[in-house]
Amino acid sequence: MPVVHPEPPDGGWGWMVVLAAFFQSALVFGVIRSFGVFFMEFVGYFGELAGRVSWITSIGIAVQQFASPVGSALSTQYGARPVVMAGGFLSGLGLLLASFATSLTHLYLSIGLLSGFGWALVFTPSVASVARYFKKRRTLATGLAFTGVGLSSFAFSPLFQLLVDTYAWRGALLVVAGMSFNLVVCGTLIRPLTLKEDLAGPGDPGASCLGKLSTLFGLPLLSHGPFMRFVLAVTLINTGYFIPYVHLVARARELGFDEYQAAFLMSVAAVADLCGRLLSGWLADCRAFRLGHILVAWTSLTGISLALVPLGRGYPLLMAISVCYGFFSGALTPVVFSILPEIVGIGRIFGSMGLLQMMESIGGLLGAPFSGWLRDMTGDYTASFLAAGAFLLAGSLVLVTLPNFSSCLEISHIGTLDLGSPVPPTGSGLCL
Amino acid sequence: EPAPVPRAGWAPTRPPALTVESGGRRRCVTPAQQPGTGGVSLQRYCSCPARTMRGSGSGAGSLRLLLSLAALWLSDANEPGTAMTTRDINQQTRKSISDYTVKEHDLSTPGSHLTTQDFNQQTEENISNLTSAVYSISINGFSSAPVEENVILYSPANIALSCNLTSPSTDSATVNVTWKKDNETLRSSSVTFNETKHVWSTQYMLKIRDRNQMGNYTCVFKRDQEVKATFHLQVPQIEGKEHHVVSYVGDSVVLVCKSIKYIPISWIWYMSNGSDQVAVNDSLMPDKYTVDEKYANITKLKILKISEEDDRSYWCQAVFKLGESKGKVSLKVLTYMTPLKPFLAIAAEVIILVAIIFLYEMYSKKKQMHAEDEKEFEQIEQLKSEDSNGVENSTTRHRKV
């Protein structure tokens, strides 16, 4: 008989789950972000245009985000552990097959489709498991888990370059596949946890197969007002969030700075991002303010710092603005994930996170091309960054409409068909 | 996010600015480093004529005189019948030598090691069919060490090599000047010699038409001591790859050589055979070697069906009108076993860790169940003993919640 916890344990084995999530985010997003090293090799080996080669990572990221609900559904049914282990195996297998590729199509299928699907099975269940294991220190735990991304982006780029120099890209992909198999270890660490809310039951037992499937995918959530507003807000945030990753270096070069100065801006922003995640996690768990208010604050500050980027014409000023952007954008990330259980209840965390990932990816996919189009229309990046800031501010405005934002009373959220758990009381309840 | 596309091609260089500081010392402003592809390293130089003396107006003045002389000669040779003011000539000269780069080296320290300056021939607009340029060295004093420069030429041109000797001594003995090519004394009517107070300058006009005129040209000033300066006229160097290119048995690989600024007439590939270099014949073995020459300044040698014997060095030779130059690329061939070993090591580590974690979990569960069994056992014992003591015990069995 499984041990049912009335409350998330907030510690103990939970810290091992945080460790697992740390390595998982390092191995998923660190690999994706450092793939640029292989990009040059593929262009040289296959003789293809840069545009066609960049589809490899684009397909991988798109599959990872769109297939997230599948990962969530499977986790709801079978628990996080087997799903993450299977996902880890698939992503490693995809990279392994890629090392034998003889054409670009093979790479699209093996890295883009197979590894992307594996990453989808890994990411959402891991982050959701961290949220399940913690309550009082959820944001800090999530923030700690996400620091894996920043650290691995630093370490993996030179490591991949070293592997490519020693073994050429085929051998390097083989070694990276081995590294990705460590995701299986991460999955093993996620011990199954039964919370009180899980026993609430996924609806009546006589439901049809389709009905059950839709519950697994979290589809009832689509009619959940606060959740959909939250999804809209996060999509808007996502649209503006990724623009600096793509265009900040270009903006710096447009102003006349050289390659190293421009790249250094991104490195500094990455370090600030790391600090922001940790600080925000700690701050949120102090329970001095409500998570909703904190999120609105970080989002607005990120939007303002993005809108200020066009003002940075001198290098020190641009550097300062990048630091601010990095810090605030890092700060908002763990809060986005840890506020979710407060909106939909911890029982539906898997489904909601999968849906959230899938829908926010639309913003991520559209943001950078839109910003590029603005630049082509107006001639420089001023309009792009102003638009990015505007998206973020719009997102924070939508966040204001979430329940519990401006009232001092604890309203249990309005469920429709199946009731989720009531929103847990937020500690000291300082009313703002 | 899509990976950034590497930028190809040069950004146009910003014209450098010359400023004259207080005190009469001419100081050059360097342009900010421009983005560019790899291959030829960018030099943070500024385009200004060679510094003659620090803080001395006369040195700068003599140089200007020299330049205007050169400009007059150039303008006479290239554009007859055009009336120009002195200022126009100066500007035109500056434009024609605008691609000159001079390292800011102090030439006046005696006994120093050889200093090298690199000149690049202008490749921009020509005033006439053949480009013309002036290359100049300044020597400070009779006791300075020999100075050398590399002059890079890639197509026929008219050039003027000029040496200026500045000697502060008041000795009024005559100074003899000779020009040598590869240690052979030259006797030519295209040498001019100019002597003003403390400055001796000589200029040698050259018409470079083919490789016979390339080589080392030395100007020698002789009084009681001898001092010389050498110009090395050479074709542009091709950069190969310093690092090995790695590939696998049965795979194919592409070796690339680039010549960014200068476009060669043709390329020839060689491979090392022991200590010789043998030409790579792609027409003889078309399914093994393919040479791709889509662009004139990039050559790609594609080697198919690699075997272990292909682990050697390859040279790409660029043929210019005035000579050839080679770049080296080495190929290293590996078997699939090489990366397989770290992969298997990591896979073994994964399996071991997974096993450890599962075993630990089963062990801690067993311990928990064992502890519960013991607790239940104790309770049973307690019940029994209480029963035997006749005390009614209605304690319910503890169930784990």
Side-chain angles (χ1 to χ4, degrees), chain A residues 13 16 27 92 104 132 178 279 294 319 357 395 406 431:
Chain A
W13 191 255
M16 293 303 280
L27 285 170
L104 218 50
R132 282 164 59 87
L279 192 77
I294 294 178
M319 171 86 77
Q357 274 276 301
S406 55
C431 302

Side-chain angles (χ1 to χ4, degrees), chain B residues 353-364:
Chain B
L353 280 177
V354 170
I356 290 177
I357 294 172
F358 271 132
L359 287 173
Y360 178 71
E361 202 169 307
M362 285 199 297
Y363 167 75
S364 54

Side-chain angles (χ1 to χ4, degrees), chain A residues 288-290 293 405-408 429-432:
Chain A
F289 305 102
R290 271 188 249 211
H293 299 152
F405 187 83
S406 55
S407 76
C408 295
L430 189 72
C431 302
L432 290 170

